[in-house]
Amino acid sequence: MNLLDLHVPPLPPMLCLGGCGKFLWDPKYRELGYGRDCAERLGIIAPTSPRFSKRAGGDCDGQGDLLEEER
């Protein structure tokens, strides 16, 4: 397969198991089998991706220390 080969087969359609009749396209909801609305209605916790953010104090502990010591 060539890196520029755009003839990748599309994902097969997958219906939500919650009975709403909507198609699932988001990989995390496809893996779960339920869409966001149905999962929420049924009390199923959908997997979330980790969120990285800075704390109020600036950099995380230890990130800037190595650079500051080399000066």
Side-chain angles (χ1 to χ4, degrees):
M1 178 180 233
N2 188 345
L3 289 176
L4 298 177
D5 187 10
L6 299 178
H7 300 290
V8 178
L11 292 174
M14 181 176 178
L15 288 174
C16 176
L17 299 175
C20 67
K22 294 181 182 177
F23 286 104
L24 301 176
W25 299 107
D26 188 334
K28 68 180 178 183
Y29 289 108
R30 287 176 66 92
E31 184 177 327
L32 186 64
Y34 295 93
R36 181 180 357 176
D37 297 334
C38 288
E40 187 176 306
R41 179 174 49 86
L42 296 170
I44 299 171
I45 299 172
T48 58
S49 57
R51 294 180 182 249
F52 300 99
S53 62
K54 284 188 170 185
R55 293 185 292 170
D59 292 334
C60 294
D61 292 335
Q63 283 188 346
D65 296 343
L66 293 175
L67 296 175
E68 290 172 7
E69 290 176 9
E70 291 179 9
R71 289 183 188 172

